[in-house]
Amino acid sequence: ENPEELESLHHDLLIGVTNFFRDKAAFTSLDENVVAKLFDKASEFKKEIRVWVPGCATGEEVFSLAILLKEYARLKKLTSKIKLFATDINNEYLDIASQGIYSSESIVDIPKPLLTRYFNHKNNDYIIDKSIRSLIVFAPYNLITDPPFTNIDLISCRNALIYLKPEIQKRVFHNLL
């Protein structure tokens, strides 16, 4: 009966807890076991690397992945194109993510060399460098009801899946495969 209360409830149910490079072990494993294979495949088939982050929240995970890929390409002197798709059901989060502006508290887990290379410091904020921001397309998306993206090399949906009930997780997995 009250649209404002409905919007407030919707906002309360969508949890936006994330950090840059959250779960260092996961990013280390991704870097050591997956990234090189993505670039090898892209090079072999002369195509871009396509990564999708459904449930991107305020963008920390998708920017972390973009930095990881860009850094690998830089160190190996590779020219493969990289494109990331960041989606979320919450338009407020998408607005925050697409701006790419974060507080000094948000960036504490970013290694100093990456912070210096891929962020611009202005006042008390850290702004994602355009070289990273240009790799990402932000869009609204419902992981449960919308059809999945196609031709994706890597899907990172841990931010979204941890909040879904097991039967919905199974349905999402089925849709993603």
Side-chain angles (χ1 to χ4, degrees), residues 2 4 32 68 110 114 126 170:
N2 187 328
E4 292 83 21
E32 293 173 353
L68 185 72
I110 301 173
L114 298 182
Y126 288 82
K170 287 178 187 175

Side-chain angles (χ1 to χ4, degrees), residues 52-87:
W52 178 23
V53 181
C56 72
T58 52
E60 289 88 338
E61 181 172 3
V62 73
F63 284 125
S64 298
L65 286 167
I67 290 168
L68 185 72
L69 294 169
K70 184 79 168 180
E71 186 67 0
Y72 182 87
R74 183 187 73 79
L75 292 171
K76 300 291 183 180
K77 296 179 175 39
L78 301 173
T79 59
S80 301
K81 291 184 179 180
I82 303 166
K83 182 59 69 181
L84 293 95
F85 302 93
T87 61

Side-chain angles (χ1 to χ4, degrees), residues 7-165:
E7 182 60 32
S8 178
L9 178 61
H10 176 79
H11 188 268
D12 288 347
L13 290 175
L14 297 174
I15 302 165
V17 178
T18 187
N19 295 337
F20 284 96
F21 297 96
R22 183 179 60 129
D23 188 356
K24 185 176 176 155
F27 274 94
T28 299
S29 178
L30 188 64
D31 189 32
E32 293 173 353
N33 302 306
V34 178
V35 172
K37 292 176 185 174
L38 291 174
F39 279 92
D40 289 345
K41 181 180 173 188
S43 176
E44 180 182 346
F45 295 104
K46 294 181 175 59
K47 66 179 204 83
E48 72 181 357
I49 296 169
R50 294 169 53 96
V51 176
W52 178 23
V53 181
C56 72
T58 52
E60 289 88 338
E61 181 172 3
V62 73
F63 284 125
S64 298
L65 286 167
I67 290 168
L68 185 72
L69 294 169
K70 184 79 168 180
E71 186 67 0
Y72 182 87
R74 183 187 73 79
L75 292 171
K76 300 291 183 180
K77 296 179 175 39
L78 301 173
T79 59
S80 301
K81 291 184 179 180
I82 303 166
K83 182 59 69 181
L84 293 95
F85 302 93
T87 61
D88 203 285
I89 197 170
N90 186 320
N91 286 324
E92 287 179 51
Y93 288 163
L94 285 172
D95 288 343
I96 293 166
S98 65
Q99 290 176 32
I101 301 171
Y102 297 93
S103 68
S104 55
E105 294 84 25
S106 300
I107 54 89
V108 295
D109 292 329
I110 301 173
K112 188 74 168 168
L114 298 182
L115 185 64
T116 303
R117 189 171 295 116
Y118 298 115
F119 287 81
N120 300 304
H121 187 226
K122 185 176 180 183
N123 301 324
N124 290 327
D125 293 326
Y126 288 82
I127 304 163
I128 296 286
D129 188 78
K130 289 179 184 174
S131 68
I132 295 298
R133 177 61 188 88
S134 67
L135 303 176
I136 304 170
V137 174
F138 291 94
Y141 181 87
N142 186 323
L143 187 58
I144 298 168
T145 61
D146 294 341
F149 284 69
T150 59
N151 300 318
I152 298 295
D153 299 301
L154 174 68
I155 301 172
S156 178
C157 54
R158 57 195 195 127
N159 274 348
L161 289 178
I162 59 176
Y163 301 110
L164 301 177
K165 291 182 179 181

